[in-house]
Amino acid sequence: SYELTQPPSVSVSPGQTARITCSGDALPKRYAYWYQQKSGQAPVKVIYEDTKRPSGIPERFSGSSSGTMAILTIYGAQVEDEADYYCYSSDSSGNVWVFGGGTKLTVL
Amino acid sequence: EVQLVESGGDLVQPGGSLRLSCAASGFIFRNYWMSWVRQAPGKGLEWVANIKDDGTEKYYVDSVKGRFTISRDNAKNSVYLQMNSLRTEDTAVYYCAVSGDWGQGTLVTVSS
């Protein structure tokens, strides 16, 4: 079955740039979505269709994609950005979807 | 603005059944694929199923095939998840989703 692979954890100091990767064989052909989930809360979409940012999401959140990897970049990470981040995409058929295992971002 | 409101979550015994509903608004429902995703306590997110805009195609994660059925009623702007033969590992918050937007979820607890 199709899989998306994320690092379990990323740690940065406040004001630094955080990069969270997501690798999958179908990513060259399929959009990636990124979700932020803070403790005890429902997930929030922070990036959709690889690079688009929903209204209300700070500009420091940026998405990119190259080959089999999608990347979520948080420029000038803030303490309030501490959360679990999940990538989400489909297999090559576009019919079966999958989440990455999630990355815990620590900002301190 | 997209709004998705899930309902139907409950406590059910192993082997039991439950039907989840999702009422959608703020977009042209009949034009969009709809999905269900879930999150077990303390675990990551898992895509469960999706259904084509006209209901003619349905896809499921392997762990629910043969037990869960996704359906929709375009006249009522609603999507459903019929869950049979429930297992303790199906315990999760279930979210309805469209184009990356989700509702707030409904809790399903499978326990004796």
Side-chain angles (χ1 to χ4, degrees), chain B residues 3-112:
Chain B
Q3 286 205 341
L4 300 166
V5 179
E6 302 92 339
S7 60
D10 205 346
L11 171 62
V12 61
Q13 291 190 339
S17 297
L18 208 56
R19 189 193 195 211
L20 304 183
S21 300
C22 171
S25 61
F27 62 102
I28 303 175
F29 182 79
R30 64 180 181 274
N31 290 348
Y32 287 85
W33 286 68
M34 297 296 297
S35 302
W36 287 95
V37 301
R38 67 184 179 182
Q39 186 170 36
K43 302 294 185 182
L45 297 165
E46 181 179 44
W47 170 79
V48 174
N50 61 7
I51 184 169
K52 193 178 178 183
D53 48 12
D54 61 2
T56 58
E57 296 181 35
K58 305 174 185 182
Y59 300 91
Y60 302 90
V61 68
D62 286 347
S63 59
V64 308
K65 284 180 182 176
R67 301 188 299 122
F68 289 12
T69 302
I70 189 172
S71 62
R72 65 190 297 158
D73 185 337
N74 285 350
K76 295 183 178 180
N77 284 0
S78 293
V79 62
Y80 309 98
L81 188 66
Q82 177 67 43
M83 303 185 295
N84 298 331
S85 302
L86 282 161
R87 305 168 180 169
T88 54
E89 56 264 36
D90 295 318
T91 294
V93 176
Y94 285 73
Y95 298 94
C96 171
V98 61
S99 297
D101 291 314
W102 301 6
Q104 285 301 302
T106 187
L107 177 62
V108 173
T109 303
V110 184
S111 175
S112 55

Side-chain angles (χ1 to χ4, degrees), chain A residues 55-96:
Chain A
S55 61
I57 300 301
E59 291 185 7
R60 62 180 180 273
F61 288 85
S62 176
S64 61
S65 184
S66 178
T68 59
M69 186 169 290
I71 302 172
L72 173 68
T73 303
I74 307 172
Y75 295 99
Q78 306 296 309
V79 172
E80 59 262 34
D81 298 332
E82 275 204 351
D84 293 324
Y85 290 85
Y86 296 89
C87 62
Y88 182 49
S89 186
S90 64
D91 68 1
S92 56
S93 73
N95 298 323
V96 174

Side-chain angles (χ1 to χ4, degrees), chain A residues 22-37:
Chain A
C22 173
S23 64
D25 289 342
L27 287 175
K29 295 179 289 186
R30 297 296 170 191
Y31 284 130
Y33 296 72
W34 289 93
Y35 292 87
Q36 175 195 68
Q37 187 175 34

